[in-house]
Amino acid sequence: MSEQESLTAYVDAWWRSIGDFTALLEQLPEEEWSTPTDLPGWTVHDVAAHIAHLERVSVGGEHDAVDGVEVGSPEHVRSPMSVFTEQGVIARRDVPPAELIASIRTDTAQRHAALADLRRSAADPADGLFGAIGWTFGTLLRNRPLDVWMHEQDVRRAVGRPGGMDSVGAQHTADYLSEGFGFVVGKRVGAAPGTTAVLAVEGSPVVAVGIDEDGRGRRLAEEPAGPTVRIAMSRETFVAAAGGRVPASTDDVDVSGDAELAQRILAKLATTP
């Protein structure tokens, strides 16, 4: 796939994820908007406010800064970026659900139209804040569908409306998060050199890694026979764990090989906050 084809695929995954997310929000009665989610301190309304905030910034809108006292110091606000994120949520706490949905639809429609003719390189700096934190244009486009789809799932778990596991956003997110497996096994778990580990997520390509002498998890061309450990799980279990929402346990997965290493990998599987 060429660079332009990849960028176009990211835009398509994001746009379709926005459609799925807003369609879900429109189904919710007002009382469900105050339901707590798996994200510390955030309700369904806060999740929608977060998406509305980032999509407004992505389209060139102003960031809605609020006083630092209002942000406070909850446990989940640990960095300048998380303060920025929390500000966008707090600024929208009193915005009615219908207005949040309309804001998301309006800003994303504008952004989608602007992305219709992709003439930029993936390596170009991203616009605005995202460029300021070092993201490239390609990184921004690749991360937006993951963010939107993961938050759709946050809402679905909160209100007991499962679904969306077969969407374009689901495929994009699971495949993307799977790429971090080598980092998890090598750097986060610290598996010994020579270790081979396999991750088999339902619906995604199998990822096999080998730990080199420097402790890095290198992607292997094919799954080895008799790896040190092999972990297989559903897409739903994987994205919840790798997305830092719901930890996976050995009860949720099929493990062969080193069971103790599998437990260590599962404990460190989260690669997004």
Side-chain angles (χ1 to χ4, degrees):
M1 186 181 293
S2 70
E3 178 182 280
Q4 289 301 302
E5 288 172 333
S6 293
L7 294 179
T8 298
Y10 299 156
V11 172
D12 179 64
W14 160 75
W15 181 240
R16 292 169 70 173
S17 295
I18 286 291
D20 293 339
F21 182 68
T22 52
L24 172 63
L25 294 180
E26 288 174 336
Q27 297 172 21
L28 304 182
E30 187 168 352
E31 59 269 20
E32 289 191 340
W33 283 71
S34 60
T35 306
T37 69
D38 293 325
L39 301 172
W42 279 13
T43 64
V44 168
H45 187 284
D46 294 331
V47 170
H50 165 65
I51 294 297
H53 172 225
L54 287 195
E55 295 301 346
R56 174 63 55 83
V57 172
S58 295
V59 81
E62 291 292 327
H63 164 58
D64 302 291
V66 297
D67 187 87
V69 175
E70 292 184 64
V71 176
S73 56
E75 184 178 346
H76 62 281
V77 180
R78 300 187 298 262
S79 67
M81 188 61 188
S82 60
V83 170
F84 171 87
T85 299
E86 198 73 11
Q87 286 177 324
V89 170
I90 292 172
R92 290 165 174 78
R93 281 263 159 86
D94 296 327
V95 177
E99 290 185 26
L100 281 179
I101 296 170
S103 172
I104 295 170
R105 287 195 180 279
T106 298
D107 289 338
T108 56
Q110 183 179 340
R111 177 71 169 159
H112 187 245
L115 292 170
D117 186 15
L118 287 169
R119 299 190 180 187
R120 297 173 62 182
S121 167
D124 289 344
D127 298 324
L129 165 82
F130 300 103
I133 63 174
W135 282 17
T136 64
F137 183 61
T139 298
L140 174 59
L141 293 190
R142 197 178 190 210
N143 275 275
R144 290 311 302 139
L146 180 149
D147 187 52
V148 175
W149 184 83
M150 285 294 293
H151 286 311
E152 176 198 333
Q153 292 303 310
D154 293 329
V155 173
R156 287 187 178 280
R157 284 193 300 275
V159 301
R161 296 179 184 231
M165 283 292 159
D166 296 324
S167 67
V168 172
Q171 185 76 59
H172 172 89
T173 301
D175 292 353
Y176 192 177
L177 291 176
S178 294
E179 294 177 10
F181 186 61
F183 172 76
V184 169
V185 179
K187 294 302 182 181
R188 300 197 69 195
V189 172
T195 296
T196 54
V198 174
L199 174 67
V201 176
E202 181 183 11
S204 292
V206 171
V207 176
V209 300
I211 307 303
D212 65 17
E213 291 301 319
D214 295 324
R216 296 181 179 180
R218 303 289 188 182
R219 187 79 175 258
L220 302 177
E222 58 185 30
E223 181 175 349
T228 307
V229 65
R230 188 180 197 276
I231 303 173
M233 67 188 82
S234 70
R235 174 176 288 171
E236 184 171 10
T237 296
F238 173 69
V239 295
R245 270 60 170 182
V246 182
S249 72
T250 51
D251 293 334
D252 304 317
V253 303
D254 292 325
V255 173
S256 58
D258 189 331
E260 189 273 335
L261 177 58
Q263 290 181 330
R264 290 164 56 203
I265 291 172
L266 291 175
K268 297 289 187 178
L269 201 57
T271 52
T272 65

